[in-house]
Amino acid sequence: MKYSDKTTSFFHDVYEVVKLIPKGRVTSYGAIASFLGSRGSSRMVGWAMNACHTCTDYIPAHRVVNRNGLLTGRLHFETPETMQSLLEDEGVVVHNHAVVDFERLHWDPATELL
DNA sequence: AGTCTGACTAGTA
DNA sequence: CTACTAGCCAGAC
């Protein structure tokens, strides 16, 4: 990984956290951003996901949704249905591009990663 | 080097 | 309840 630069450490941390998301669970951009210390940096989490395509490591970006549980990032996958398919394959029920029982499946790193 | 944009969120009207 | 605004920070032009 070429993210040794301190300026890109945020991206690296995002990848680390996303890779730690348990199967069948989901989290939000804001939760990750908040866990990394910057609540308002939620956009950077999504930006990191956009850059995950260039990263050699596999990033389960499908487990990261917005605060409403909506699969906003689905259009950035290879196909718009990839994200939902991956989630459903892990046991997450997705309906109308949104995670069902999002609050129950939500995985907050600041709370559950301890 | 300045400006715009973006897979977001919280606050205010 | 919905709509709009501001803040956030790195990358692309």
Side-chain angles (χ1 to χ4, degrees):
Chain A
M1 275 243 167
K2 57 192 70 167
Y3 301 101
S4 52
D5 299 282
K6 58 179 186 289
T7 54
T8 55
S9 61
F10 192 90
F11 279 40
H12 181 267
D13 291 339
V14 170
Y15 295 144
E16 291 294 300
V17 173
V18 173
K19 285 191 291 187
L20 289 173
I21 300 172
K23 177 184 175 186
R25 301 293 295 278
V26 295
T27 190
S28 60
Y29 303 93
I32 296 172
S34 180
F35 176 69
L36 296 179
S38 301
R39 188 197 74 180
S41 308
S42 49
R43 288 179 150 188
M44 301 302 91
V45 179
W47 199 252
M49 294 298 97
N50 186 25
C52 82
H53 271 275
T54 62
C55 185
T56 55
D57 295 331
Y58 169 68
I59 310 296
H62 58 278
R63 295 177 188 154
V64 184
V65 297
N66 74 346
R67 198 65 181 115
N68 298 313
L70 191 66
L71 280 59
T72 52
R74 66 196 154 86
L75 296 175
H76 287 260
F77 281 79
E78 299 180 25
T79 64
E81 53 190 71
T82 302
M83 190 171 187
Q84 180 170 336
S85 297
L86 289 170
L87 284 171
E88 290 181 333
D89 186 57
E90 295 183 353
V92 178
V93 181
V94 179
H95 183 62
N96 195 23
H97 304 307
V99 176
V100 179
D101 292 332
F102 171 70
E103 294 186 13
R104 186 172 63 83
L105 296 173
H106 185 224
W107 180 82
D108 189 347
T111 302
E112 306 193 43
L113 192 58
L114 298 176

